[in-house]
């Protein structure tokens, strides 16, 4: 039985982190686990490779649907297409780790929230000087939380995440469309900085299962010199040399 660590509480949702260590054996091994919350128990299985043997890596990005895929393409008609394909590969040959290359969620819809539509209607000379208000904070928080919950609990998608140990890198759509390509003045302004902070909070919670405070304390994240870049990076050892993963 593992004791979880409470990472955050937001709008009635509790975020828990379980620390799991698995010793690699001479053969590939399935690890069964179960999680009970509010009287409901969910079971799942993930796989680890044999000690000293190569591990099988899966990779996905854009939630399986790039903007270059035509609207009438069959993959766009079924948003779980990518994930069903991944699970079929996993069934034939277990995937030991799944790398998410970015755009695991599409957060562009935040600009349809009332407070953000109003910002979009401002003249460009006023946008960079716009303040970040409590209304913006509340609407952004509810949007990103709901967007992640809806995306990650979609049938098949949730099965994949429960079965495949994952490490996820974020891209612009996890934040909002085009982030990083706007002018430095606009991105450094109070408004964009406030929205970015909300997007980062939920990226860390849902995709890296941590918080900024914990990650920096554990040296999972390192701040980049602001004179060189804006943001942070992380380095992750997927499998350790001492036989544990």
């Amino acid at each position: 039985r593992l004791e979880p660590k409470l990472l955050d509480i937001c709008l009635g949702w509790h975020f828990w982190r379980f620390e799991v260590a698995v010793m690699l054996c001479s053969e590939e091994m399935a690890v069964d686990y179960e999680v009970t919350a509010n009287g409901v128990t969910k079971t799942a299985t993930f796989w680890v490779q044999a000690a000293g043997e190569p591990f099988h890596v899966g990779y996905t990005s854009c939630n399986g649907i790039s903007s270059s895929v035509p609207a009438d393409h069959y993959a766009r008609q079924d948003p779980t297409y990518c994930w069903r394909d991944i699970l079929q590969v996993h069934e034939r040959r277990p995937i030991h780790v799944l790398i998410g290359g970015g755009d695991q969620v599409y957060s562009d819809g935040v600009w349809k929230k009332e407070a953000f539509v109003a910002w979009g209607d401002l003249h460009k000379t006023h946008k960079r000087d716009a303040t970040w208000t409590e209304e913006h904070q509340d609407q952004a928080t509810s949007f990103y939380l709901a967007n992640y919950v809806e995306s990650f609990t979609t049938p098949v998608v949730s099965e994949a995440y429960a079965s495949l140990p994952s490490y996820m890198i974020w891209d612009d759509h996890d934040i909002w469309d085009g982030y990083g390509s706007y002018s430095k003045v606009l991105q450094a302004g109070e408004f964009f900085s406030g929205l970015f902070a909300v997007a980062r909070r939920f990226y860390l919670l849902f995709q890296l299962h941590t918080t900024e405070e914990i990650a920096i304390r554990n040296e999972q994240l390192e701040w980049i010199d602001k004179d060189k870049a804006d943001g942070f990076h992380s380095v992750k050892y997927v499998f350790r040399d001492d036989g544990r993963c």
Side-chain angles (χ1 to χ4, degrees):
R1 179 182 176 87
L2 299 175
E3 292 299 327
K5 177 181 179 59
L6 180 62
L7 296 179
D8 202 351
I9 300 175
C10 181
L11 300 178
W13 291 84
H14 290 63
F15 295 84
W16 300 94
R17 179 187 177 103
F18 293 82
E19 297 288 348
V20 180
V22 178
M23 184 66 69
L24 301 183
C25 300
S26 58
E27 297 182 358
E28 184 180 48
M29 178 176 61
V31 180
D32 301 321
Y33 71 96
E34 65 179 33
V35 177
T36 299
N38 298 324
V40 178
T41 299
K42 298 289 186 179
T43 61
T45 300
F46 64 90
W47 287 76
V48 294
Q49 85 281 11
E53 295 296 324
F55 54 90
H56 187 199
V57 180
Y59 179 86
T60 182
S61 66
C62 303
N63 203 7
I65 305 176
S66 169
S67 59
S68 62
V69 176
D72 59 351
H73 191 275
Y74 61 85
R76 278 199 177 277
Q77 308 309 310
D78 177 8
T80 66
Y81 172 81
C82 163
W83 301 101
R84 289 190 291 105
D85 184 59
I86 288 174
L87 288 175
Q88 288 173 3
V89 172
H90 180 60
E91 185 175 0
R92 295 194 300 268
R93 180 189 173 194
I95 295 173
H96 304 121
V97 60
L98 180 69
I99 305 298
D103 298 344
Q104 277 71 244
V105 294
Y106 281 75
S107 302
D108 311 339
V110 70
W111 297 105
K112 296 180 180 179
K113 304 294 287 185
E114 182 180 359
F116 294 90
V117 171
W119 179 88
D121 290 337
L122 292 174
H123 188 276
K124 63 180 181 180
T125 58
H126 299 299
K127 287 182 177 180
R128 64 187 181 188
D129 298 323
T131 58
W132 181 253
T133 68
E134 185 175 344
E135 182 181 20
H136 293 129
Q137 182 72 26
D138 291 345
Q139 290 189 15
T141 297
S142 63
F143 170 81
Y144 280 92
L145 174 61
N147 191 41
Y148 267 106
V149 170
E150 180 180 359
S151 298
F152 280 27
T153 60
T154 299
V156 181
V157 178
S158 60
E159 180 184 351
Y161 282 147
S163 306
L164 306 172
S166 304
Y167 188 74
M168 302 178 184
I169 305 162
W170 67 344
D171 203 350
D172 64 330
H173 290 288
D174 300 274
I175 309 168
W176 67 81
D177 187 22
Y179 185 86
S181 63
Y182 298 91
S183 70
K184 290 185 177 180
V185 173
L186 187 59
Q187 291 205 170
E190 178 182 337
F191 188 86
F192 266 30
S193 296
L195 185 54
F196 176 80
V198 177
R200 181 179 60 200
R201 175 190 182 186
F202 291 107
Y203 162 68
L204 292 174
L205 287 171
F206 278 93
Q207 300 199 40
L208 295 188
H209 314 301
T210 189
T211 65
E212 181 179 320
E213 178 185 4
I214 294 172
I216 293 175
R217 185 171 67 239
N218 295 339
E219 298 183 347
Q220 293 172 317
L221 300 178
E222 296 181 8
W223 292 100
I224 299 174
D225 187 333
K226 288 295 183 180
D227 292 333
K228 300 177 182 178
D230 295 316
F232 55 77
H233 69 282
S234 62
V235 177
K236 184 74 171 180
Y237 292 96
V238 178
F239 289 99
R240 296 166 51 141
D241 293 333
D242 60 4
R244 289 183 293 169
C245 73

